[in-house]
């Protein structure tokens, strides 16, 4: 495998011994320095399974004594050596790594444990696509790595993928598989959209009806909400708390943080169907509501009462025990105000709080929970609407971060206001949008966003410079699943574009017009073979395969180029 075929592209590569290959065989030991043991376990379980190589612990454990170039001291010993290197951390940061393969050994020095792991992912690519299988495909005594040196580090600390498991539930096994796919692309944040009008996917033991009722809908709209078609089968599912602990631990072993999203105060009909007192009971008969079966912006929003606040505080108490990361995503988007305007209870709360009107209730909700999370050492992150409706005046702390989805504008405003930002503009990195024009694309949604379009996505807009630009934590690709009923459909929409996105988030690329997309396409030739070995049902470059099409199921295609806003 040519090191120039790596995805994401590394920061630098150079040949050590041109034309010479470093062999790995049944006698090759794997020596793990302190702090690298999780990566050693991953190598044995993953690459070991694919190659049939035992990668037994080395009898002569590498001391890691550096030479003048920072290489390992056990230069005469063959094997695979893993080490955390302060020198690499100083030069490349904790997620950076140096991989050196000479004629007899492969050495991975990481700036921290994550850096060692990302180096191991690069080693897997260097071994060729068969290293991505789950078992050997034939007798092969020796595997080889091209001799060379790679130095690499990510551009951004937040390299995310949002999976919407609320609209269509993704079983745990499929979710774990996606964590592996993220790791293979050096992505490190999994944003789980766990609750919405169409389903509540997280067990909350204090409120069992959230999953007994809220996790199930009686039928599902097929295609865009204007479609006349229905899937009359009930749909649902949820993750138990033990499932979540397993998912979080599985991700953490791959240096991926899981960020939960609990949507408030809009997108909440599933919760109201389970506990009607959460809704605006003086406006509608909330007891008659079920889990929503179609798509769009739902008018049934949370009531601004103390009962609602205490309910979601109790929910979040359990959420915090399950997700140890810094951030909790609280949605905060697409919240209609009509029911609040009609509600005497909501208007009374506006007067009590001294707000200018019901439009500020959304900001009040987010300000309350921003403070609540900050008191517990966590940070709120939400869609860019959290900056509207008086949220800052209501006490939304500077520690809150913004997911900028309605173009770049929200992120620009947030960064200039002192907030950290994750760039995920709909027009660039919403992977539910169609990949090509034409009638063959299944359930076509939104603008055409090709592989090249995603490759030319730039997370930091030119309007941000200096300290404001530094507030861009990174980028995230979002996968909304209204028209993706199972993993095969998610695979089709997500790949191969996620590979292009991963490179924009990891690699230090030139400005978008100057990016060498032709070179990326050449590297994708090798990467398609890796995706094949992993069993990913991606969209082929020539268009969908017959079984990937969905004739007769209408979407919502938008013509023309998307606005850059």
């Amino acid at each position: 495998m040519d090191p120039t075929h790596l995805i994401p592209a590394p920061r630098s590569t150079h040949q050590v011994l041109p034309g010479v290959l470093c062999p790995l065989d049944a006698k090759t030991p794997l020596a793990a320095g302190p702090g690298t043991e999780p990566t050693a376990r991953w190598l044995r379980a993953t690459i070991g399974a694919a190659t049939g190589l035992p990668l037994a612990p080395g009898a002569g454990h590498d001391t890691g004594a550096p030479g003048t170039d920072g290489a390992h001291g056990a230069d005469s010993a063959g094997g695979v050596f893993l080490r955390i290197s302060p020198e690499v951390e100083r030069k490349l940061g904790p997620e950076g790594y140096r991989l050196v393969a000479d004629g007899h050994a492969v050495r991975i020095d990481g700036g921290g444990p994550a850096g060692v792991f990302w180096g191991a992912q690069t080693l897997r690519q260097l071994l060729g696509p068969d290293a991505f299988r789950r078992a050997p495909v034939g007798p092969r005594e020796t595997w080889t790595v091209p001799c060379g040196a790679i130095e690499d580090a990510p551009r951004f600390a937040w390299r995310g993928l949002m999976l919407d498991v609320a609209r269509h539930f993704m079983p745990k096994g499929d979710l774990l598989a996606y964590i592996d796919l993220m790791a293979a692309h050096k992505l490190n944040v999994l944003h789980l959209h766990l609750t919405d009008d169409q389903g509540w996917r997280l067990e909350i033991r204090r409120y069992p009806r959230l999953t007994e009722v809220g996790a199930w809908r009686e039928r599902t709209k097929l295609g865009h909400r204007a479609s006349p078609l229905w899937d009359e089968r009930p749909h649902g599912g949820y993750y138990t708390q033990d499932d979540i602990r397993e998912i979080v631990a599985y991700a953490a072993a791959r240096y991926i943080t899981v960020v939960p999203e609990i949507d408030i105060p809009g997108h909440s009909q599933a919760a109201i169907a389970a506990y009607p007192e959460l809704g605006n009971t003086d406006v509608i008969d909330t007891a008659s509501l079920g889990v929503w079966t179609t798509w769009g912006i739902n008018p049934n929003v949370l009531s601004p009462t103390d009962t609602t606040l205490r309910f979601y505080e109790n929910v979040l108490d359990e959420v915090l025990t399950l997700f140890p990361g810094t951030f909790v995503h609280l949605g905060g988007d697409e919240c209609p105000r009509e029911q609040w305007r009609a509600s005497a209870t909501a208007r009374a709360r506006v007067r009590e709080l001294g707000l200018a009107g019901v439009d500020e209730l959304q900001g009040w909700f987010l300000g309350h929970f921003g403070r609540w999370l900050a008191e517990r050492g966590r940070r709120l992150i939400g869609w860019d609407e959290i900056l509207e409706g008086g949220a800052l005046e209501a006490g939304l702390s500077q520690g809150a971060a913004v997911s900028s989805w309605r173009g770049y504008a929200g992120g620009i405003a947030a960064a200039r206001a002192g907030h950290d930002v994750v760039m995920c503009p709909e027009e660039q990195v919403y992977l539910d949008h169609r990949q090509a024009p034409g009638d063959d694309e299944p359930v076509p949604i939104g603008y055409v966003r090709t592989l090249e379009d995603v490759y030319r996505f730039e997370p930091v807009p030119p309007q941000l410079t200096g300290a404001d630009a530094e507030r861009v934590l990174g980028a995230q690709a979002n996968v909304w699943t209204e028209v993706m009923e199972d993993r095969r459909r998610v695979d089709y929409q997500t790949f191969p574009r996620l590979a292009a996105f991963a490179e924009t988030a990891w690699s230090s690329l030139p400005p978008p017009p100057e990016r060498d997309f032709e070179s990326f396409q050449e590297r994708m030739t090798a990467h398609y073979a890796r995706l094949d070995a992993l069993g990913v049902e991606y969209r082929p470059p020539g268009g969908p395969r017959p079984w990937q099409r969905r004739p007769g199921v209408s979407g919502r295609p938008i013509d023309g180029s998307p606005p850059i806003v």
Side-chain angles (χ1 to χ4, degrees), residues 337 340-341 346-364 388-391 393-394:
R337 274 63 160 178
W340 290 342
R341 292 190 179 97
R347 295 195 303 272
R349 173 120 289 186
V350 167
R351 292 192 296 273
E352 174 193 336
L353 296 170
L355 303 179
V358 296
D359 286 346
E360 293 192 357
L361 285 173
Q362 179 172 335
W364 169 76
E388 300 172 356
E393 294 79 1

Side-chain angles (χ1 to χ4, degrees), residues 390-477:
L392 294 178
E393 294 79 1
L396 187 62
S397 71
Q398 290 298 103
V402 171
S403 300
S404 186
W405 76 275
R406 296 178 300 173
Y408 289 103
I412 292 169
R416 289 174 173 169
H419 293 274
D420 288 336
V421 175
V422 175
M423 286 293 186
C424 49
E426 177 182 10
E427 298 85 359
Q428 278 72 42
V429 289
Y430 268 37
L431 301 186
D432 48 308
H433 282 217
R434 58 193 174 130
Q435 304 188 60
D439 296 333
D440 285 343
E441 288 303 308
V443 200
I445 298 295
Y447 294 100
V448 172
R449 293 288 81 195
T450 65
L451 184 67
E452 181 174 359
D453 291 329
V454 175
Y455 188 66
R456 298 193 188 279
F457 164 61
E458 170 51 47
V460 181
Q463 296 93 323
L464 294 180
T465 58
D468 292 341
E470 292 175 2
R471 293 191 180 96
V472 178
L473 299 177
Q476 182 169 287

Side-chain angles (χ1 to χ4, degrees), residues 47-58:
I47 293 180
T51 62
L53 302 180
L55 299 174

Side-chain angles (χ1 to χ4, degrees), residues 519-534:
S519 172
F520 178 77
Q521 281 185 303
E522 292 176 7
R523 287 182 284 125
M524 278 302 301
T525 301
H527 202 65
Y528 285 121
R530 298 176 193 130
L531 297 178
D532 286 332
L534 288 165

Side-chain angles (χ1 to χ4, degrees), residues 76-431:
S76 61
V80 177
F81 297 103
L82 310 178
R83 187 188 66 159
I84 294 173
S85 163
E87 185 264 339
V88 171
E89 182 182 21
R90 286 191 297 272
K91 183 177 182 180
L92 299 172
E95 288 194 278
Y97 67 90
R98 178 190 294 122
L99 186 155
V100 177
D102 55 26
H104 55 271
V106 176
R107 299 177 175 86
I108 300 174
D109 285 346
V116 175
F117 182 72
W118 304 133
Q121 292 291 344
T122 296
L123 173 61
R124 189 187 194 187
Q125 291 197 21
L126 292 171
L127 287 167
D130 283 347
F132 288 78
R133 297 186 180 274
R134 295 191 180 186
V137 295
R140 184 171 175 179
E141 294 183 358
T142 302
W143 294 70
T144 58
V145 177
C147 290
I150 297 170
E151 285 195 347
D152 201 8
R155 179 185 178 193
F156 293 108
W158 186 300
R159 306 179 302 279
L161 173 67
M162 191 285 298
L163 287 176
D164 169 19
V165 297
R167 270 53 176 271
H168 277 100
F169 178 65
M170 181 175 281
K172 181 184 69 176
D174 291 341
L175 189 53
L176 296 176
Y178 257 80
I179 290 171
D180 283 328
L181 288 170
M182 291 179 64
H185 292 83
K186 298 186 174 74
L187 300 175
N188 69 344
V189 178
L190 172 60
H191 171 174
L192 277 185
H193 184 75
L194 290 164
T195 74
D196 214 295
D197 300 303
Q198 297 87 2
W200 184 286
R201 307 296 178 210
L202 174 65
E203 177 190 25
I204 300 297
R205 290 176 177 168
R206 181 161 182 163
Y207 301 117
R209 286 177 58 83
L210 285 172
T211 46
E212 291 172 358
V213 174
W216 311 94
R217 60 177 181 263
E218 61 181 16
R219 63 176 186 165
T220 299
K221 174 65 70 174
L222 274 181
H224 184 251
R225 61 180 176 271
S227 165
L229 303 177
W230 292 89
D231 182 343
E232 296 293 347
R233 298 173 297 173
H235 177 84
Y238 66 93
Y239 307 109
T240 68
Q241 294 201 359
D242 283 345
D243 289 337
I244 291 295
R245 292 186 181 96
E246 178 186 359
I247 289 163
V248 168
Y250 193 84
R254 288 146 182 82
Y255 300 94
I256 293 170
T257 299
V258 183
V259 174
E261 180 177 356
I262 306 296
D263 224 333
I264 59 171
H267 289 286
S268 296
Q269 183 162 322
I272 296 169
Y275 292 92
E277 65 271 21
L278 298 174
N280 294 283
T281 56
D282 59 344
V283 177
I284 63 165
D285 177 14
T286 57
S288 68
L289 294 176
V291 177
W292 212 27
T293 58
T294 189
W295 320 120
I297 299 176
N298 190 308
N300 296 307
V301 301
L302 297 175
S303 177
T305 64
D306 289 343
T307 296
T308 302
L309 297 182
R310 300 293 89 76
F311 183 96
Y312 276 89
E313 288 171 358
N314 293 332
V315 166
L316 291 172
D317 271 332
E318 296 192 29
V319 168
L320 297 190
T321 68
L322 297 170
F323 298 91
T326 300
F327 287 100
V328 176
H329 204 292
L330 294 184
D333 64 316
E334 297 179 330
C335 180
R337 274 63 160 178
E338 285 78 13
Q339 289 185 2
W340 290 342
R341 292 190 179 97
S343 167
T345 299
R347 295 195 303 272
R349 173 120 289 186
V350 167
R351 292 192 296 273
E352 174 193 336
L353 296 170
L355 303 179
V358 296
D359 286 346
E360 293 192 357
L361 285 173
Q362 179 172 335
W364 169 76
F365 264 108
L366 274 297
H368 174 87
F369 286 105
R371 294 190 302 274
W372 188 93
L373 288 169
E375 289 167 359
R376 289 154 182 79
R378 303 297 186 93
R379 293 178 65 184
L380 181 150
I381 184 169
W383 305 112
D384 52 57
E385 288 98 323
I386 70 171
L387 297 177
E388 300 172 356
L392 294 178
E393 294 79 1
L396 187 62
S397 71
Q398 290 298 103
V402 171
S403 300
S404 186
W405 76 275
R406 296 178 300 173
Y408 289 103
I412 292 169
R416 289 174 173 169
H419 293 274
D420 288 336
V421 175
V422 175
M423 286 293 186
C424 49
E426 177 182 10
E427 298 85 359
Q428 278 72 42
V429 289
Y430 268 37
L431 301 186

